[in-house]
Amino acid sequence: LGPSTTAELATRLGVTSAGVRRQLTALQGAGLGVAGDRAPYGKAPTARRGRPGQVFSLTASGRAALSQTYDDLALEVLRFVHETQGDAGVRAFAEQRAERLVQQLRPARTDDITGTAEDIAVALTAAGYAASVEAGDHGVTVQLCQHNCPIVEAAAEFPALCDAETAALG
């Protein structure tokens, strides 16, 4: 679910903050987690009284420790598509995948996305993107931010995946 404070993690997991801190300390000691005054991305926390809570997130090593073999399989398939069909094949796959993502975000009762940007962020978060909405241009516009990319390794090698998602969400 992205970078979180000890209190947020304790609430989500239904355990005490002390129990969460013990595990976070172990993750930090192993180089799998890091703590900071704010998340490494996204909006800055709102100022409040008292000592600011630390925000914990995974390091690159921590994310790598969570990798599953299906990541390797996905890259292997994309490389095969690229070798046999070229950039056009990868682009066609990326566009089809992005359209399926957009279909998942559509309310079941209509063909149009009629929800708010916050509704879309909630749906993207459910799909693994840890999305949020931030105000921009003095409240006139909003920015949809994806704080986690569930396909980051594949997208690093095949940026057409990101391009297609951006176009479809636009």
Side-chain angles (χ1 to χ4, degrees):
L1 295 171
S4 303
T5 65
T6 302
E8 291 168 339
L9 290 169
T11 300
R12 282 187 202 133
L13 298 171
V15 298
T16 65
S17 291
V20 169
R21 272 191 220 87
R22 216 176 2 261
Q23 300 304 319
L24 291 172
T25 299
L27 287 170
Q28 287 178 285
L32 302 174
V34 64
D37 293 336
R38 64 173 287 177
Y41 49 75
K43 63 183 178 182
T46 54
R48 58 186 182 109
R49 293 171 45 132
R51 195 176 103 207
Q54 288 194 305
V55 179
F56 293 87
S57 57
L58 293 174
T59 62
S61 297
R63 285 188 299 280
L66 295 174
S67 292
Q68 304 292 323
T69 56
Y70 58 80
D71 290 339
D72 295 333
L73 176 63
L75 276 169
E76 190 175 330
V77 169
L78 282 167
R79 288 176 186 138
F80 176 81
V81 169
H82 188 259
E83 289 171 12
T84 59
Q85 300 175 28
D87 290 339
V90 173
R91 202 169 31 258
F93 168 78
E95 289 168 358
Q96 182 184 54
R97 183 186 172 283
E99 185 53 37
R100 278 194 312 272
L101 174 63
V102 169
Q103 291 301 322
Q104 290 173 2
L105 302 179
R106 292 182 196 275
R109 65 188 182 283
T110 179
D111 288 336
D112 294 324
I113 295 178
T114 57
T116 64
E118 287 80 9
D119 294 335
I120 295 169
V122 167
L124 282 170
T125 296
Y129 288 83
S132 67
V133 175
E134 297 181 19
D137 294 339
H138 309 292
V140 176
T141 62
V142 294
Q143 179 177 5
L144 182 62
C145 302
Q146 297 173 351
H147 303 293
N148 179 56
C149 178
I151 59 166
V152 68
E153 289 185 33
E157 189 169 334
F158 298 99
L161 294 166
C162 293
D163 297 342
E165 272 186 13
T166 301
L169 288 171

